[in-house]
């Protein structure tokens, strides 16, 4: 037996015209508010899960003591983290596990904070309340690491590509004009039946005109190179894109980000990090980050 709902309708003719208009206006306003709220809920991510790969060890020009990681050993750590829209980042399992000389090691990981500045620079912190060590790579109890790297949204990458191809188009146009001058100068000579001599097929452009076209090409090449440097290579960012709080599209995280820890004389670099979004793809799909 199907449930039913009784709906009572009021004919518009029974309502005053002013009341009817006010009623329709209120309904329209409520509809717009609902559409706006639904769109915001569907497009802006509030949480994101990423697999953070830490590669901790001695780095060039580090401020760590000379005995720290002197052997060249590395301590690879994989932490599945959850980023939330309240600026918090935490290990999903609350710990990190890795294999050392003594077997499997389990260490707690305390949550920290994350921040994105200039819509590009990502930083987040995690704290290890207990000592974490592998050979001579040691993080003392209460050590807080700060991971700094780059974040590229798909919208930003499309905009960077658009600017680059626009600059390349300008370079191609300028190069075409320079090559056209060269072709005209190197064109085969033609026979003049009146003077009975071979002569140039085209009239040479002035030196000033040729110099202007070459300088324009030089400036276009510089602009193209500058726009190219702004675009990350495929090997410089995560293999896949994933959601991230505060962004209405998926993002890529840069590889070879810096891991820092606070020392008496300032921050010391103690390794690099990369990340991949957590999804349904097989783990073997990802290349090792260390």
């Amino acid at each position: 037996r199907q449930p039913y709902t009784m709906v009572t309708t009021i004919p518009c003719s029974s309502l005053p015209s002013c009341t009817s208009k006010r009623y329709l206006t209120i309904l329209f306003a409520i509809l717009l508010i609902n559409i706006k709220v639904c769109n915001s809920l569907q497009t802006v991510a509030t949480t994101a899960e990423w697999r953070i790969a830490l590669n901790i060890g001695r780095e060039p020009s580090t401020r760590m003591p000379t005995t720290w990681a002197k052997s060249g050993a590395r301590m690879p750590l994989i932490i599945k983290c959850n980023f939330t829209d309240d600026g918090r980042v935490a290990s999903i399992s609350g710990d990190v596990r890795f294999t050392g000389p003594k077997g499997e090691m389990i260490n707690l990981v305390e949550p920290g904070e994350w921040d994105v500045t200039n819509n590009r620079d990502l930083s987040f912190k995690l704290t290890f309340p207990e000592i974490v060590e592998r050979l001579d790579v040691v993080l003392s109890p209460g050590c807080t690491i700060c991971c700094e790297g780059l974040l590229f949204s798909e919208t930003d990458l499309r905009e960077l590509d658009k600017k680059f191809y626009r600059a390349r188009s300008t370079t191609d146009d300028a190069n075409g004009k320079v090559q056209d001058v060269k072709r005209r100068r190197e064109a085969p000579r033609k026979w003049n039946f009146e003077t009975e001599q071979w002569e140039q097929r085209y009239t040479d452009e002035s030196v000033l005109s040729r110099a202007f076209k070459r300088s324009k090409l030089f400036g276009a090449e510089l602009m193209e190179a500058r726009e190219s440097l702004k675009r990350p290579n495929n090997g410089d960012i995560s293999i896949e894109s994933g959601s991230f709080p505060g962004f209405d599209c998926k993002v890529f995280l840069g590889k070879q980000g810096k891991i820092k820890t606070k020392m008496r004389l300032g921050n010391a670099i103690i390794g690099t990090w990369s990340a991949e979004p957590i999804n349904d793809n097989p783990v073997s799909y990802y290349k090792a980050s260390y």
Side-chain angles (χ1 to χ4, degrees):
R1 185 179 179 182
Q2 299 294 329
Y4 63 93
T5 303
M6 181 179 293
V7 180
T8 303
T9 58
I10 302 176
C12 294
S13 58
S14 64
L15 295 174
S17 59
C18 60
T19 304
S20 178
K21 291 181 180 179
R22 186 180 304 171
Y23 178 72
L24 292 176
T25 302
I26 294 174
L27 284 179
F28 183 71
I30 294 175
L31 179 62
L32 288 179
I33 293 174
N34 288 336
I35 292 175
K36 186 174 181 180
V37 171
C38 290
N39 287 338
S40 63
L41 291 175
Q42 293 174 356
T43 58
V44 178
T46 58
T47 181
E49 295 181 349
W50 286 76
R51 182 183 293 103
I52 308 298
L54 306 178
N55 183 13
I56 300 176
R58 193 162 194 86
E59 295 290 326
S61 304
T62 184
R63 295 182 179 180
M64 296 297 287
T66 56
T67 56
W68 189 84
K70 184 179 180 180
S71 66
R74 311 295 293 188
M75 182 165 59
L77 303 176
I78 305 295
I79 307 177
K80 296 181 180 180
C81 292
N82 185 31
F83 294 81
T84 55
D85 58 357
D86 58 355
R88 303 285 291 176
V89 55
S91 170
I92 296 177
S93 61
D95 58 24
V96 59
R97 305 185 180 201
F98 67 97
T99 303
K102 301 178 182 179
E104 184 184 37
M105 309 296 294
I106 303 176
N107 295 90
L108 297 177
V109 180
E110 294 181 350
E113 299 178 347
W114 66 267
D115 185 37
V116 175
T117 57
N118 301 323
N119 212 39
R120 181 66 50 81
D121 301 314
L122 170 65
S123 63
F124 60 91
K125 296 180 180 180
L126 294 171
T127 300
F128 300 95
E130 303 170 347
I131 186 172
V132 185
E133 60 180 329
R134 182 177 184 272
L135 300 177
D136 56 351
V137 183
V138 182
L139 300 181
S140 57
C143 176
T144 298
I145 62 171
C146 178
C147 298
E148 298 177 353
L150 298 177
L151 180 150
F152 298 90
S153 68
E154 292 181 341
T155 302
D156 287 342
L157 291 177
R158 285 193 294 268
E159 186 64 25
L160 291 175
D161 286 342
K162 187 184 300 183
K163 291 181 179 179
F164 170 74
Y165 289 120
R166 188 183 301 125
R168 172 174 284 184
S169 177
T170 303
T171 302
D172 291 341
D173 292 341
N175 184 57
K177 293 179 180 179
V178 172
Q179 295 301 321
D180 185 61
V181 172
K182 183 179 179 181
R183 284 193 296 268
R184 291 169 67 91
R185 295 192 68 187
E186 297 178 353
R189 293 174 176 269
K190 66 178 181 179
W191 178 257
N192 190 327
F193 291 95
E194 295 180 358
T195 60
E196 296 185 349
Q197 292 181 347
W198 292 99
E199 58 184 27
Q200 287 186 338
R201 186 175 297 271
Y202 303 103
T203 305
D204 275 345
E205 289 191 31
S206 65
V207 176
L208 182 63
S209 176
R210 296 200 302 269
F212 175 75
K213 290 182 178 180
R214 288 189 175 276
S215 64
K216 197 170 183 179
L217 173 60
F218 180 74
E221 289 175 340
L222 286 180
M223 180 62 68
E224 180 183 345
R226 189 179 299 115
E227 294 298 333
S228 179
L229 289 176
K230 297 178 182 178
R231 302 164 65 227
N233 297 322
N234 290 335
D236 297 334
I237 56 178
S238 55
I239 298 176
E240 292 193 42
S241 60
S243 59
F244 204 87
F247 288 84
D248 57 2
C249 62
K250 292 186 176 181
V251 303
F252 293 86
L253 297 187
K255 294 182 178 180
Q256 297 300 313
K258 300 300 182 183
I259 305 175
K260 298 180 179 180
T261 187
K262 182 174 288 187
M263 302 291 292
R264 291 182 180 180
L265 300 179
N267 293 329
I269 300 176
I270 60 171
T272 59
W273 70 277
S274 60
E276 290 292 340
I278 298 177
N279 48 35
D280 297 331
N281 292 333
V283 176
S284 59
Y285 175 81
Y286 299 105
K287 297 180 180 179
S289 302
Y290 45 84

